Amino acid sequence: MLRVAVPNKGSLSETAVEMLQEAGYATRRDTKELHVVDARNDVEFFYLRPRDIATYVGSGALDIGITGRDLLLDSHSAATELAELGFGGSTFRFAGPADEFSELSDLAGKTVATSYPGLVGNFLRDAGVDATLVHLDGAVESAVQLGVADAVADVVSTGTTLRKAGLGIFGPVILDSTAVLIASPETKPNTATLIRRLQGVLVARQYVLVDYDLPVRLLEQATAVAGGIESPTISPLRDPEWVAVRVMIPRGDANDVMDRLYELGARAILVTAIHAARL
């Protein structure tokens, strides 16, 4: 069986489980379950702490895992990234008192508090900045006020939490992270099926089908509005001067495309969600 690690809690867990369900896999019914066997698909799922997943996969104890890119890089694991999964986005930045820090080089000789010492340490080393790291499990924004560190490195969304702690963001982005699928050094052949299914879920979430009727003479102009992944599907109608068209477009473009097609002369425009896909 393919042995797959899934986050058991935290921001990645719920969406990871939803994706696996949409991909046709059995998932746990109780959050206390740590092991689920999907005999139909020949897969075992192990629900683990997100921070530990890269270590298990990198050691070869498990074959595949879903975790954050930040956690993978922080772990120094031998696991490799296979694919982005389109959720769990986060940005890592440095922050400190605005009157003390304005650029990365200002960290030289200073102390930086972070929950990701591996990730931040590699970044500083590559940048040629010698700083001391203090490893904290969370709430690193309090480290400066409490005198534990001169600056911090943490996940930043709006920056509101940091500003409340009297800190300002400075220097380059450390990492733009997202949820990723990772694999052990020796990848099993049936890994490809899991990847293909999850990619199909991503396509289904990102695209919709648009069907509409259109005068044949306007077909080239309509194709310029929405050309599809490869090309539209064209079907004849009873009236030889009209055709039915089906095309796949990005979900976020749906209303704009509908408006433009209607203005062009298309009618009976329908948008349909995609439940599964293979491209």
Side-chain angles (χ1 to χ4, degrees), residues 34-189:
L34 301 179
H35 180 223
V36 174
V37 176
D38 184 346
R40 179 178 180 181
N41 291 297
D42 202 28
V43 179
E44 284 184 276
F45 294 102
F46 295 84
Y47 290 82
L48 306 169
R49 291 178 66 246
R51 184 169 284 277
D52 295 335
I53 287 176
T55 300
Y56 280 106
V57 174
S59 70
L62 299 177
D63 304 307
I64 299 292
I66 296 175
T67 190
R69 180 180 289 139
D70 54 329
L71 296 172
L72 170 63
L73 296 177
D74 192 59
S75 70
H76 296 298
S77 166
T80 57
E81 180 179 324
L82 294 179
E84 293 187 3
L85 296 177
F87 68 94
S90 59
T91 301
F92 287 77
R93 300 293 301 269
F94 291 105
D99 57 347
E100 295 182 34
F101 299 95
S102 60
E103 55 188 44
L104 187 62
S105 59
D106 293 336
L107 286 172
K110 302 294 185 178
T111 301
V112 181
T114 182
S115 299
Y116 298 81
L119 171 64
V120 176
N122 287 342
F123 185 88
L124 291 172
R125 193 177 305 111
D126 292 343
V129 176
D130 185 16
T132 301
L133 298 182
V134 175
H135 183 195
L136 299 176
D137 282 337
V140 299
E141 64 275 0
S142 301
V144 175
Q145 184 179 3
L146 296 175
V148 174
D150 301 302
V152 301
D154 200 14
V155 176
V156 174
S157 51
T158 63
T160 301
T161 301
L162 292 171
R163 285 193 294 272
K164 287 182 178 179
L167 306 177
I169 297 168
F170 68 91
V173 172
I174 302 169
L175 177 72
D176 285 318
S177 184
T178 187
V180 294
L181 194 68
I182 64 174
S184 64
E186 296 184 9
T187 306
K188 287 188 176 179

